[in-house]
Structure formats: structure tokens, C-alpha cells
């Protein structure tokens, strides 16, 4: 099956869908803001990881060689805002009497374990902010040398007013400087700044601050915004294709990144900016700062008062993929239960493909299904349309299995390949192995044995026994379907 691809992605900077044209095809440079590792990963962490995992998978499927960089923030993310308060990891280390890197490593391990369960592919490079202090100091020096920063009491701040005289600060978020000034809070310590909107490039560490490094200005630590600019440039060059993250990072984090790159090297570093939307609970953003988040571990175990049951990692992944990455997803038990049933339907269709018997003709148009799936992916990664198309195909598979349709040998092989490509290679779903696999195999064989007895009763025209077995299985929750190729069953949840 042949398809022509022009991938369109929504560029936050231009506010429109644009055809994706890599700067150095077939090589693609992609940088995504990863987690701040001071707590267990939650559902809000899962969405950007899954969103950009889909992009990573699809770009590779299209034949691109992708260098995917996803950072770890393990220094400089302060409690109150980007410039003030105690470092979140250092605070946890102080309270628990641990080394800061001990805290960071513990939660990095937890994050990796959760991402593996969600079948998120590891990035090509996963740099840590604390491992790139030299690069961040170099970035600060360049901005100072170009006149867009100033030193104050051992700290260095970006001069937003000076930058805005020559460039547009706010072009990513659509703000002007006056908007920024009107919404900037006055915080303790901001008397170091010339302007409340100025942001820290380097912070002088207070005596009690654990994480500190020597610099030309003071013993201190880099501002939060510096790390991505410095590490993106180190691993992807002065100009690269895609920078992604959650929509909450558009301002100030990514806005400041643009300003830093222009102030240090004279032009924009990133071609396409991409942002996934938020996960909400009752319309409110889910996150640590609001105290309404649910950790991934709690989803997997069901151990939370907002959860009526445990949900598998693939149910969580499928739940997220049912919405377009730029739309909000509102959490509810009902939505997760619907996702669980939908995922089961899709995996049942995959299994049913192996039971179909090919014929000379087809009542299913496999090329049409493929075209719709690829068109949806090419349209800014429209996974809900892909899933809806696969559901339509699943209905046709069930129709064929029931003896009311047919499929040729070639179409069957193409359909198997199509489902494998989209379910597993692109959407990243897996057929989850159960912890009770041995028991389930015995359970399955027992049901098959009963259905074998039912088939004997049908052959002998013992309709009473045939109906009794079917009805008793149905009463236990089994759905029995008779088709021209035999009988199939599934257990309704």
C-alpha cells in the first residue's frame, strides 16, 4: 500500500499548521522539556511524554533519523517562581537529610519505570541540568557580552526592556511587554532587578543553599530557563527543528528560551514550537502546585480516593490518545472506564484477525482504511481520528468473522500489517501481559472445552444442551458469537 505524506504540525510560534520541512533532512533535531524530579510522576507528566513519543515514532516511521533530547531538571526550579524561593530538590534533600542528587536519582528511577510501563520510548539523549553548568555559564557570558543582561549582587538578570527595544519579547505567547509588567508579581528579592519582568540567568546562592557552583559572578546556580537553551544548543546545534513541552511552559519558560537564544547568538534557535494541552480534573489543571494530582503509581494500583479501580498503563495511554494533543483532557472514572472498554475492543480486533479465513474476494477496503489513518497522522498527529478509523475497521472484522463478509488473502495480510503499524508502532499500544497469565490460559482452555461440547451438541442437533451452555456462559458474562468459521467468545468487563 502506497501513501504520500506531507506531515503538517501546528507551530505555536506562527499559530498555524505548517508542513514539516526539516532543516537538515533526513536528520531531525527534537528537544522536549522533561520532568522536574522532586516527586512521583503523575498523569500530567504522562501527557507530554506520550504526545512527543507519538511524534518520535511517526517521524521515524516516515524515514527520518531523529535525535530526540529530553532533559531532566534537577537544579534551579525554585518554589515560588523561576527566580525566587528554595530549590525544590534541595528542599526535599534538606527535609529528608539526603544528598540532592540522591533525591533526584530516586525520582528519576521512578519516572523511568513509569515511562517504561506506558511504553514511552527512551529519548536519544537525556541530559541533566546539573551536568551542564559549564554550558549554562557560557550562555550567560554571551548574553552579558551582547548587552542584554546585567549583574546585580552576585546574580545575573536578563534585561527584558533592553531586549524588547531590538526584538519582540512575548512573540511565542502573544504578549507585549506591558502585559508582562502588569501580571508580574512583586516578590522578596526583586529589588535586585531593574525591571520586575527581568528573569534570572544566574542566582547567587544564599549560605543555606545546598546546590551551588563557582562562576565569574558568585557561588550560585543557573536560572531555570537557561538549561534548555544551553543543552538544546549543545546536542542539536544553533538551529534545530522542534522544541516541545506542555502548554503551561509557553510563558515564561519557552518565551525566555527564545529571548536567550536570540540574545546570545543573534537569531532564533528553534523552527517549530509544539505544545500539548493540559489534563484537568473538574475543569481545573491537574498538577502538584494545586494538590489535585494523581500519581501514575496510584492509577496502576487504584490506591486513590478519586479512583474506583486500578487502571493498566495501556488504559492510561489509550485514554490520553483518544483526545488530540492540543485539546484538554478532563479526568473522570467514567472516561477511564470507557477507555478501558475501547482498548479491549481494539485488542479483540487484533486477535480476531488471526482467526479470519481468507477467500477469493473482499468486502473490506483496506487501502481506504490505511489512507484515512495516514491522513489523520499527517494532520497534526490526529490520534482520535486514527482510533475512530481503527474502530470502524474492527466492526468490519467482526462482520467478516460472523460470516457476513469476506476478505482476500492479500487484504488480510495488509490489514494485519496496518493494525500492527498503527496500534503498536505508532500509537505505541501493547497487548498487556497479565500477572495471572497461567491462570488465564487455563481459564481460556476451560471455556474452549465447554464450547467444544456445545459444538458437539449442535452437530447432534441437541439444541437444548447447545442453548443451555450458551445461556449459562452468557449469565456469567461471556459474549458468544457463532460465525461461519466457528464460535468465538470474550468476557465482558
Amino acid at each position: 500500500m502506497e501513501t504520500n505524506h506531507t506531515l503538517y504540525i501546528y507551530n505555536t510560534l506562527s499559530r498555524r499548521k505548517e508542513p514539516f520541512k526539516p532543516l537538515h533532512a533526513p536528520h531531525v533535531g527534537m528537544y522536549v522539556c522533561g520532568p522536574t524530579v522532586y516527586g512521583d510522576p503523575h498523569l500530567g507528566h504522562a501527557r507530554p511524554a506520550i504526545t512527543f513519543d507519538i511524534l518520535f515514532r511517526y517521524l521515524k516511521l516516515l524515514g527520518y533519523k531523529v535525535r530526540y533530547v529530553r532533559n531532566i531538571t534537577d537544579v534551579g526550579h525554585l518554589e515560588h517562581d523561576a527566580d525566587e524561593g528554595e530549590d525544590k530538590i534541595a528542599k526535599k534533600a534538606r527535609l529528608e537529610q539526603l544528598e540532592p542528587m540522591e533525591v533526584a536519582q530516586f525520582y528519576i528511577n521512578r519516572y523511568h519505570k513509569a515511562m517504561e510501563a506506558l511504553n514511552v520510548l527512551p529519548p536519544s539523549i537525556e541530559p541533566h541540568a546539573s551536568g551542564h553548568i559549564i554550558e549554562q555559564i557560557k550562555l550567560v557570558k554571551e548574553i552579558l557580552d551582547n548587552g542584554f543582561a546585567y549583574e546585580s549582587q552576585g546574580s545575573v538578570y536578563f534585561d527584558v526592556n533592553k531586549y524588547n527595544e531590538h526584538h519582540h519579547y512575548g512573540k511565542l505567547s502573544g504578549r507585549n511587554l506591558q502585559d508582562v509588567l502588569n501580571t508580574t508579581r512583586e516578590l522578596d528579592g526583586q529589588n535586585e532587578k531593574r525591571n520586575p519582568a527581568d528573569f534570572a540567568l544566574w542566582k547567587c546562592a544564599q549560605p543555606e543553599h545546598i546546590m551551588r557552583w563557582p562562576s565569574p559572578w558568585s557561588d550560585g546556580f543557573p536560572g531555570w530557563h537557561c538549561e534548555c537553551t544551553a543543552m538544546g544548543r549543545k546536542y542539536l546545534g544553533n538551529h534545530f527543528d522542534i522544541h516541545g513541552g506542555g502548554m503551561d511552559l509557553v510563558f515564561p519558560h519557552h518565551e525566555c528560551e527564545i529571548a536567550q537564544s536570540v540574545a546570545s547568538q543573534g537569531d532564533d534557535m528553534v523552527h517549530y514550537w509544539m505544545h500539548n494541552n493540559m489534563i484537568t480534573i473538574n475543569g481545573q489543571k491537574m498538577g502538584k502546585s494545586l494538590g489535585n494530582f494523581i500519581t501514575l503509581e496510584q492509577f496502576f494500583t487504584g490506591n486513590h480516593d478519586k479512583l474506583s479501580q486500578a487502571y493498566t498503563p495501556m488504559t492510561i495511554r489509550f485514554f490520553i490518545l483518544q483526545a488530540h494533543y492540543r485539546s484538554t483532557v478532563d479526568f473522570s472514572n467514567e472516561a477511564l472506564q470507557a477507555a478501558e472498554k475501547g482498548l479491549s475492543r481494539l485488542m479483540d480486533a487484533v486477535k480476531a484477525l488471526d482467526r479470519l479465513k481468507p477467500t477469493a474476494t473482499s468486502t473490506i477496503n483496506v487501502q481506504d482504511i490505511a489512507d484515512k489513518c495516514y491522513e489523520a497522522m499527517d494532520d497534526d498527529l490526529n490520534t482520535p481520528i486514527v482510533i475512530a478509523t481503527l474502530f470502524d475497521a474492527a466492526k468490519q472484522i467482526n462482520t467478516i468473522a460472523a460470516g457476513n463478509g469476506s476478505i482476500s488473502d492479500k487484504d488480510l495480510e495488509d490489514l494485519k500489517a496496518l493494525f500492527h503499524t498503527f496500534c503498536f508502532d505508532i500509537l505505541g499500544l501493547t497487548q498487556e501481559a497479565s500477572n495471572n497469565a497461567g491462570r488465564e490460559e487455563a481459564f481460556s482452555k476451560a471455556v474452549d472445552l465447554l464450547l467444544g461440547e456445545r459444538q458437539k451438541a449442535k452437530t447432534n442437533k441437541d439444541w437444548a444442551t447447545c442453548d443451555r451452555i450458551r445461556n449459562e456462559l452468557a449469565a456469567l458474562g461471556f459474549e458468544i458469537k457463532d460465525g461461519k468459521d466457528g464460535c468465538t467468545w470474550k468476557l465482558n468487563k
Side-chain angles (χ1 to χ4, degrees):
M1 290 179 292
E2 295 183 359
T3 52
N4 295 316
H5 299 286
T6 301
L7 171 60
Y8 283 81
I9 56 177
Y10 185 86
N11 190 345
T12 308
L13 189 58
S14 66
R15 293 169 182 77
R16 66 174 185 267
K17 291 180 189 176
E18 297 179 358
F20 179 62
K21 297 178 180 177
L23 297 170
H24 308 290
H27 298 276
V28 174
M30 182 169 89
Y31 189 102
V32 174
C33 288
T36 303
V37 286
Y38 65 95
D40 276 334
H42 55 78
L43 196 60
H45 288 127
R47 192 165 196 198
I50 290 171
T51 294
F52 293 101
D53 182 57
I54 295 293
L55 178 59
F56 185 32
R57 288 169 179 272
Y58 194 54
L59 288 172
K60 291 200 299 179
L61 187 84
L62 295 181
Y64 293 112
K65 300 180 185 299
V66 186
R67 178 176 289 173
Y68 175 16
V69 180
R70 185 183 67 205
N71 71 297
I72 295 287
T73 298
D74 57 1
V75 64
H77 205 307
L78 306 185
E79 279 191 295
H80 303 316
D81 72 351
D83 294 342
E84 301 299 330
E86 188 172 3
D87 185 288
K88 293 176 180 179
I89 294 171
K91 178 181 180 181
K92 204 165 187 73
R94 176 175 56 77
L95 292 174
E96 298 181 16
Q97 296 185 322
L98 298 169
E99 283 291 326
M101 289 302 102
E102 197 171 358
V103 172
Q105 191 62 55
F106 176 82
Y107 289 112
I108 289 168
N109 293 345
R110 304 273 286 181
Y111 177 77
H112 286 161
K113 183 180 177 182
M115 292 305 105
E116 184 178 356
L118 291 167
N119 200 29
V120 170
L121 298 175
S124 314
I125 304 172
E126 192 174 57
H128 295 207
S130 62
H132 295 78
I133 302 298
I134 292 171
E135 289 82 0
Q136 293 176 78
I137 289 174
K138 179 175 181 289
L139 173 69
V140 177
K141 285 180 179 177
E142 289 170 352
I143 296 171
L144 275 168
D145 290 345
N146 290 339
F148 292 109
Y150 56 91
E151 184 181 351
S152 176
Q153 300 180 34
S155 295
V156 180
Y157 292 96
F158 191 94
D159 193 332
V160 172
N161 249 332
K162 180 71 175 294
Y163 175 83
N164 202 55
E165 291 172 5
H166 303 272
H167 309 283
H168 178 196
Y169 180 78
K171 66 180 183 178
L172 183 67
S173 59
R175 307 182 187 206
N176 59 46
L177 187 55
Q178 195 57 46
D179 293 335
V180 176
L181 291 172
N182 290 341
T183 56
T184 302
R185 295 180 300 158
E186 290 290 345
L187 295 168
D188 292 341
Q190 284 197 340
N191 58 343
E192 294 181 4
K193 302 180 183 182
R194 294 176 184 171
N195 187 315
D198 295 348
F199 57 89
L201 298 172
W202 185 265
K203 286 290 291 180
C204 177
Q206 298 303 309
E208 68 275 9
H209 201 96
I210 305 173
M211 301 173 79
R212 58 173 67 219
W213 291 264
S215 80
W217 316 287
S218 65
D219 278 5
F221 53 93
W224 170 41
H225 308 306
C226 285
E227 64 183 82
C228 294
T229 306
M231 294 189 293
R233 188 162 65 181
K234 177 179 177 68
Y235 294 110
L236 299 174
N238 286 358
H239 304 96
F240 58 89
D241 298 296
I242 298 169
H243 195 322
M247 200 170 282
D248 56 332
L249 297 178
V250 172
F251 186 88
H253 186 47
H254 289 165
E255 197 74 75
C256 294
E257 280 196 60
I258 289 177
Q260 288 171 162
S261 67
V262 173
S264 62
Q265 67 185 40
D267 59 2
D268 285 346
M269 195 163 62
V270 179
H271 191 186
Y272 301 93
W273 286 89
M274 296 181 67
H275 296 90
N276 64 273
N277 215 321
M278 300 295 102
I279 292 179
T280 58
I281 296 182
N282 299 323
Q284 186 180 41
K285 175 194 166 187
M286 178 184 285
K288 281 193 174 73
S289 60
L290 298 171
N292 65 350
F293 67 97
I294 303 174
T295 70
L296 291 172
E297 181 68 20
Q298 287 170 326
F299 276 105
F300 301 159
T301 61
N303 186 24
H304 192 280
D305 57 11
K306 284 187 169 67
L307 299 174
S308 62
Q309 64 180 80
Y311 294 98
T312 67
M314 284 304 101
T315 298
I316 300 300
R317 186 177 179 104
F318 192 72
F319 166 68
I320 288 172
L321 293 177
Q322 283 183 302
H324 190 270
Y325 77 89
R326 287 192 289 111
S327 65
T328 57
V329 176
D330 197 50
F331 156 80
S332 70
N333 266 298
E334 293 76 16
L336 284 173
Q337 286 166 353
E340 185 177 61
K341 289 177 182 176
L343 177 61
S344 179
R345 279 174 56 201
L346 207 54
M347 292 301 106
D348 284 346
V350 172
K351 293 172 187 173
L353 280 168
D354 290 328
R355 297 193 297 268
L356 296 185
K357 300 289 173 50
T359 60
T361 60
S362 287
T363 58
I364 185 169
N365 188 333
V366 181
Q367 184 66 56
D368 183 57
I369 297 166
D371 289 343
K372 287 178 180 177
C373 286
Y374 280 110
E375 284 168 11
M377 286 303 298
D378 289 341
D379 184 18
D380 197 27
L381 311 178
N382 201 327
T383 56
I385 298 298
V386 172
I387 290 169
T389 303
L390 293 174
F391 277 158
D392 287 341
K395 289 178 185 176
Q396 296 182 67
I397 290 168
N398 291 335
T399 298
I400 295 168
N404 298 316
S406 61
I407 187 166
S408 69
D409 188 62
K410 181 181 184 304
D411 281 348
L412 180 57
E413 290 307 309
D414 285 347
L415 192 57
K416 285 179 179 179
L418 180 68
F419 262 75
H420 190 280
T421 295
F422 278 91
C423 288
F424 306 131
D425 296 341
I426 296 176
L427 297 183
L429 302 171
T430 63
Q431 292 177 307
E432 292 170 305
S434 169
N435 292 330
N436 299 312
R439 289 183 182 180
E440 288 185 359
E441 183 180 359
F443 176 80
S444 178
K445 287 180 178 178
V447 176
D448 288 339
L449 184 63
L450 278 172
L451 292 177
E453 292 301 311
R454 179 173 177 267
Q455 185 59 43
K456 288 180 185 177
K458 280 181 81 173
T459 303
N460 295 330
K461 298 185 179 181
D462 182 0
W463 307 119
T465 301
C466 181
D467 290 342
R468 182 171 57 82
I469 293 174
R470 180 191 181 102
N471 293 339
E472 289 185 8
L473 284 171
L476 293 171
F478 292 91
E479 183 179 330
I480 311 298
K481 287 186 178 180
D482 290 307
K484 66 177 183 178
D485 296 320
C487 182
T488 60
W489 64 271
K490 70 175 182 178
L491 180 60
N492 291 320
K493 295 184 179 180

